[in-house]
Amino acid sequence: MTRRTTAEHDHRDDEAGAQGGGRFLYPACRWTVAAILLQYGFAKLFGAQFTVLDSELDRPMGTVSGFWLTWYYFGYSPLFGNLIALLQVGLGVALAFRRTTLLGAAGAAPLLAGITVLNLSYGIAVDAMLVALAGAGGAGYLLWRHRRELVAVFWGDQNRVAPRPRRTRPRWAHAVLVALLLAIPASCSYYVANHNNRSPTPLDGTWDVTAGAFRPPGLPGPAERVYFEHNRAHQLVLRSGQTWQTHHFEVDPVTATIRIWRTWLSKGEQLLSGRYDLTDARLVVTATDPTSGRPLRWELRRVPPEQLRRAP
């Protein structure tokens, strides 16, 4: 008489569970999740999702709702949208077959969970969020029923492609390697965000021109709005009508001087050099226009951030 192996024991336990409370719940979750994924996928392929209204395309980005912002982003690239659609259809079909149910559930659970978070974060319709949540829950249940297989693959069998060498390195060496793996990308990202991408100045923000005319070559008219970009060090953007022009700027708060060049970072031709006077929400720049040689007095008023961005 042979002893049952652990795998056989677990398999029979699963079969017993399937005949119990999971007898109907397992196939119900399997087919429901498959239907949800196929509906998502075919909706994208046939143009029922990720289509944007012309009226939404004509809005300033800061006033666009999270729903239309998401729709426009995913629909911007037909290739990207169709790849997502094919993935969803493929996972739905995988759930329709017994042998590939685990594969389908393993892909469906994070995908539908991500859609749920996306719906919640960007204010997508509540009914759509509930459908995605139900699908994520159903896929999660399927994974739970296959938990022994998952544990065997991702933990029990370890890594057979790169097995542990016979002479293992000290534990402290591995700990140091992991610490460096965390510290180096984190420190580089912090430096890029706070020192490379940003070099804060007192002028950072958005300003409306209230008096004076500054019109660099190539701009169709005098600048109407000025952006001293906080998240792009030394970047100045001038807007005239529907034209935006990018330049390089530097200020010295000690001497209250400002200089503007044609090309961001590489500078090139200097467009303006003068002094500024900043009082609360009012900025006055006095300089000499290098193009005409005439004195320039430029007055600007700060635009409150809440006027640029839609309230959440």
Side-chain angles (χ1 to χ4, degrees), residues 68-306:
W68 288 113
L69 190 66
T70 305
W71 239 230
Y72 178 70
Y73 171 77
F74 284 103
Y76 183 83
S77 169
L79 175 63
F80 182 69
N82 288 331
L83 285 176
I84 294 178
L86 292 175
L87 174 63
Q88 292 172 337
V89 171
L91 292 174
V93 172
L95 287 166
F97 295 91
R98 184 185 63 82
R99 286 183 176 273
T100 53
T101 295
L102 177 55
L103 174 64
L111 178 64
L112 291 172
I115 293 175
T116 303
V117 174
L118 190 70
N119 290 345
L120 179 64
S121 302
Y122 287 83
I124 312 298
V126 175
D127 55 348
M129 184 188 70
L130 294 177
V131 170
L133 181 61
Y141 173 76
L142 295 176
L143 291 180
W144 172 253
R145 291 298 308 276
H146 289 273
R147 60 190 180 279
R148 291 187 178 89
E149 296 165 76
L150 292 172
V151 169
V153 170
F154 293 108
W155 186 259
D157 291 344
Q158 296 295 318
N159 189 343
R160 295 185 178 182
V161 175
R164 184 191 297 272
R166 292 183 179 180
R167 295 184 61 183
T168 60
R169 56 179 173 268
R171 289 184 178 273
W172 62 265
H174 185 265
V176 170
L177 181 62
V178 172
L180 290 174
L181 184 65
L182 294 170
I184 293 175
S187 58
C188 289
S189 298
Y190 180 86
Y191 172 80
V192 169
N194 294 280
H195 297 280
N196 183 71
N197 287 1
R198 295 174 186 159
S199 181
T201 75
L203 309 187
D204 288 357
T206 303
W207 303 79
D208 278 337
V209 179
T210 57
F214 179 49
R215 182 184 178 183
L219 204 63
E224 302 166 358
R225 178 164 282 189
V226 182
Y227 308 84
F228 293 97
E229 297 291 0
H230 175 72
N231 292 310
R232 286 291 184 272
H234 306 299
Q235 185 174 102
L236 168 72
V237 179
L238 304 177
R239 194 193 82 185
S240 177
Q242 294 301 308
T243 300
W244 285 260
Q245 198 177 76
T246 302
H247 300 288
H248 184 95
F249 84 98
E250 292 180 4
V251 299
D252 185 347
V254 178
T255 60
T257 55
I258 179 172
R259 290 180 292 173
I260 299 175
W261 289 267
R262 175 178 291 278
T263 308
W264 180 48
L265 296 182
S266 62
K267 296 184 178 181
E269 176 190 0
Q270 189 173 87
L271 302 177
L272 182 146
S273 178
R275 300 179 59 85
Y276 71 87
D277 179 31
L278 178 62
T279 307
D280 296 328
R282 183 170 179 266
L283 173 65
V284 177
V285 177
T286 54
T288 300
D289 189 331
T291 303
S292 63
R294 298 177 180 177
L296 171 67
R297 180 179 172 84
W298 208 21
E299 298 184 14
L300 304 96
R301 176 178 54 84
R302 188 185 294 274
V303 178
E306 57 270 18

